């Protein structure tokens, strides 16, 4: 039987309760059980003690992580399971990247740092460090694309207010004083942050225009079979259009929106504030093989990784150490060309136009998918260039996206 919980009076009692909280969180007790009730009580007692002990300034989350690393004798590489990649560990600890919800959850359980410390201070610090500079949005390009009304004769302050109104009106995690939505994925970099947020805001805006036509979304419908079903739609010449219709019938909004200058973006996966799943596609590489791999990669993110606090932004030409990107790549490859068939196929062993066509027919996928896989795995992008469907996607969407022309 655990001892009766009492108001914390000493450091020894405080640390004993912290240890017990860490143990209980690792067990993840169901709500309503005695263990869950005790966890909640101990958390309240610890919070009250911390508020009394440190009334002026709570610990910085990065400092708390560094302290716990020193206490436990951990190195940066030991934090990779909590952050996803070595580069993410380095960026967070050097305060170049904010903590995400997944990181906070993992650190709270794995290192025993209170969630209140990680969440509360992280938000406060992020607000200080990342106050929105509305002047850094790509205003001219946004106006040129028709996202904003023309600024003729407007003072700079009025132009900034227009951008602010456009972004903030979406109520999609963009605070007036800070960005709350975390950007993840290989297409994100601090230098492109404002352009990426502008692009995402436009994607969300256009996705909301489709709300009334979307079918009901059931997360349980997402599966390897679902990905495979989407992949086989590539067999048709109108496959990209059919795939968008199929996904929107299943409650997933798909928006084709070209990337903004300076960004290296193929696609994105996110959820709107109401939970509606959204896929954004740029068609940066106007090729059939790229379209299908990007689309299924983003569906895999929706299935496995996306929550309401993070958007995945993908540059699929960039190498990645993120396990989530690796999983999305694996699921996309498997849906398009199952590995059990790939390494045994004539297309892999003796690649030619004939063997590519034969495997494409067997799998009911477009030959461009096979040719694209061969080019990527061999690193020889000169071979089979006539088979990857260059210039055969963008025109399909030109009627509902004039800027693609």
């Amino acid at each position: 039987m655990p001892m009766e919980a009492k108001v914390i009076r000493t450091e020894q009692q405080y640390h004993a309760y912290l240890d017990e909280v860490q143990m209980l969180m690792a067990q993840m007790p169901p709500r309503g059980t005695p263990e869950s009730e005790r966890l909640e009580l101990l958390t309240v007692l610890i919070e009250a003690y911390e508020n009394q002990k440190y009334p002026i300034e709570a610990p910085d989350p990065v400092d708390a992580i560094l302290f716990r690393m020193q206490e436990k004798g951990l190195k940066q590489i030991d934090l990779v399971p909590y952050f996803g990649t070595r580069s993410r560990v380095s960026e967070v600890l050097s305060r170049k990247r904010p903590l995400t919800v997944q990181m906070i959850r993992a650190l709270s359980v794995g290192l025993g740092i209170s969630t209140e410390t990680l969440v509360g201070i992280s938000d406060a610090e992020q607000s200080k460090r990342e106050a929105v500079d509305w002047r850094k949005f790509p205003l001219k390009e946004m106006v040129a694309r028709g996202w904003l009304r023309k600024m003729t004769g407007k003072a700079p302050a009025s132009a900034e207010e227009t951008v602010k109104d456009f972004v903030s009106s979406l109520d999609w995690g963009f605070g007036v004083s800070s960005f709350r939505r975390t950007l993840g994925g290989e297409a994100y970099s601090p230098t492109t942050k404002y352009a990426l947020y502008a692009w995402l805001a436009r994607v969300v805006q256009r996705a909301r225009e489709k709300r009334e036509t979307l079918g009901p979304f059931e997360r349980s419908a997402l599966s390897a079979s679902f990905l495979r079903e989407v992949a086989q739609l590539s067999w048709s010449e109108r496959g990209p259009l059919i795939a968008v219709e199929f996904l929107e019938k299943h409650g997933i909004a798909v928006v084709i929106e070209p990337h903004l200058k300076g960004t290296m973006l193929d696609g994105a996966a996110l959820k709107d504030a109401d939970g509606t799943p959204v896929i954004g596609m740029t068609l940066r590489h106007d090729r059939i093989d790229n379209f299908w791999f990007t689309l299924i990669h983003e569906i895999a993110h929706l299935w496995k990784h996306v929550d309401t606090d993070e958007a995945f932004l993908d540059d699929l030409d960039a190498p990645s150490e993120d396990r989530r990107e690796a999983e999305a790549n694996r699921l996309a490859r498997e849906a398009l060309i199952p590995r059990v068939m790939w390494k045994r196929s004539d297309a892999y062993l003796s690649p030619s136009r004939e063997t590519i066509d034969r495997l494409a027919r067997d799998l009911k996928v477009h030959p461009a998918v096979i040719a694209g896989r061969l080019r990527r795995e061999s690193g020889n992008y000169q071979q089979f260039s006539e088979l990857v469907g260059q210039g055969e996607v963008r025109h399909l969407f030109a009627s509902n996206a004039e800027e693609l022309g």
Side-chain angles (χ1 to χ4, degrees):
M1 289 289 292
M3 294 178 60
E4 180 184 357
K6 298 180 180 180
V7 175
I8 301 174
R9 305 287 186 191
T10 66
E11 283 287 309
Q12 183 179 6
Q13 185 184 6
Y14 169 66
H15 286 290
Y17 281 0
L18 281 177
D19 291 340
E20 187 174 351
V21 164
Q22 182 178 355
M23 179 190 69
L24 289 170
M25 289 186 71
Q27 295 174 0
M28 291 187 289
R31 186 182 296 275
T33 62
E35 292 80 4
S36 176
E37 296 292 332
R38 184 168 178 82
L39 175 59
E40 186 174 350
L41 175 59
L42 291 178
T43 301
V44 171
L45 292 174
I46 288 171
E47 181 179 355
Y49 179 78
E50 290 177 341
N51 288 340
Q52 181 183 18
K53 186 76 173 178
Y54 313 105
I56 298 176
E57 185 177 1
D60 176 86
V62 174
D63 288 342
I65 296 168
L66 293 171
F67 174 79
R68 193 53 56 90
M69 288 173 64
Q70 183 179 13
E71 188 179 48
K72 293 180 174 288
L74 302 176
K75 299 178 180 179
Q76 286 196 15
I77 193 171
D78 298 318
L79 298 189
V80 170
Y82 309 119
F83 291 88
T85 69
R86 286 188 179 187
S87 61
R88 295 269 169 87
V89 175
S90 176
E91 289 169 355
V92 169
L93 295 184
S94 61
R95 294 181 170 85
K96 294 179 180 178
R97 179 185 288 269
L99 291 169
T100 66
V101 172
Q102 294 96 325
M103 291 175 187
I104 289 171
R105 288 172 181 161
L107 289 167
S108 180
V109 174
L111 296 185
I113 304 172
S114 73
T115 303
E116 187 69 24
T117 296
L118 294 170
V119 175
I121 305 305
S122 179
D123 285 347
E125 289 300 309
Q126 198 64 12
S127 295
K128 293 177 185 177
R129 294 192 185 104
E130 297 199 50
V132 178
D133 186 347
W134 301 102
R135 296 169 298 178
K136 292 185 178 180
F137 277 86
L139 177 62
K140 291 182 179 179
E141 193 172 1
M142 294 169 75
V143 171
R145 291 197 180 194
W147 301 0
L148 303 172
R149 64 180 183 274
K150 290 187 177 181
M151 300 289 104
T152 306
K154 295 285 186 179
S158 299
E160 291 167 28
E161 283 298 319
T162 302
V163 177
K164 183 177 178 180
D165 290 344
F166 169 72
V167 175
S168 300
S169 66
L170 295 174
D171 188 24
W172 182 75
F174 296 100
V176 172
S177 62
S178 67
F179 292 131
R180 295 174 186 170
R181 176 75 56 140
T182 300
L183 303 184
E186 299 307 320
Y188 172 76
S189 73
T191 58
T192 61
K193 179 181 70 173
Y194 286 92
L196 291 171
Y197 267 114
W199 183 85
L200 282 172
R202 176 61 172 172
V203 167
V204 170
Q205 182 187 59
R206 292 186 58 199
R208 289 181 181 179
E209 295 170 357
K210 300 186 174 195
R211 276 182 176 173
E212 297 302 319
T213 62
L214 295 178
F217 173 67
E218 296 290 341
R219 190 185 183 97
S220 59
L222 299 181
S223 64
S225 298
F226 184 90
L227 298 185
R228 182 72 186 136
E229 189 172 358
V230 173
Q232 291 185 332
L233 297 176
S234 68
W235 184 248
S236 167
E237 289 184 1
R238 296 183 67 255
L241 293 174
I242 297 171
V244 171
E245 294 173 4
F246 176 83
L247 291 172
E248 295 190 342
K249 177 182 176 182
H250 286 83
I252 301 172
V254 182
V255 173
I256 309 298
E257 186 65 55
H259 65 294
L260 291 167
K261 293 176 182 177
T263 64
M264 306 294 286
L265 186 63
D266 291 304
L270 56 135
K271 283 187 178 178
D272 200 351
D274 67 349
T276 301
V278 179
I279 290 174
M281 302 272 288
T282 68
L283 306 186
R284 178 166 68 108
H285 300 300
D286 184 10
R287 299 195 318 266
I288 291 176
D289 66 315
N290 183 266
F291 173 88
W292 289 104
F293 189 85
T294 302
L295 181 67
I296 298 177
H297 180 99
E298 304 308 341
I299 300 172
H301 273 320
L302 291 177
W303 175 24
K304 294 289 188 178
H305 310 131
V306 170
D307 61 26
T308 56
D309 298 301
E310 184 170 16
F312 283 83
L313 296 158
D314 290 306
D315 170 7
L316 296 179
D317 291 337
S320 176
E321 296 178 354
D322 191 322
R323 56 181 176 76
R324 296 170 299 177
E325 295 298 337
E327 183 175 28
N329 283 337
R330 177 181 60 78
L331 290 168
R333 286 194 300 266
E334 185 68 14
L336 290 162
I337 311 173
R339 63 184 181 278
V340 69
M341 299 182 64
W342 177 234
K343 291 296 179 70
R344 300 176 183 177
S345 69
D346 289 339
Y348 175 79
L349 297 172
S350 302
S352 67
R353 178 185 287 270
E354 290 73 23
T355 57
I356 288 172
D357 285 341
R358 190 182 313 139
L359 181 59
R361 287 195 299 271
D362 291 343
L363 295 177
K364 294 184 173 61
V365 298
H366 197 286
V369 171
I370 313 294
R373 178 77 166 265
L374 286 167
R375 283 154 53 97
R376 179 175 287 269
E377 290 193 358
S378 68
N380 180 1
Y381 290 92
Q382 301 303 314
Q383 64 175 343
F384 305 121
S385 57
E386 74 281 7
L387 298 181
V388 294
Q390 183 71 46
E392 295 182 23
V393 179
R394 196 176 295 170
H395 73 92
L396 293 174
F397 296 96
S399 60
N400 58 10
E402 294 180 359
E403 62 269 37
L404 290 173

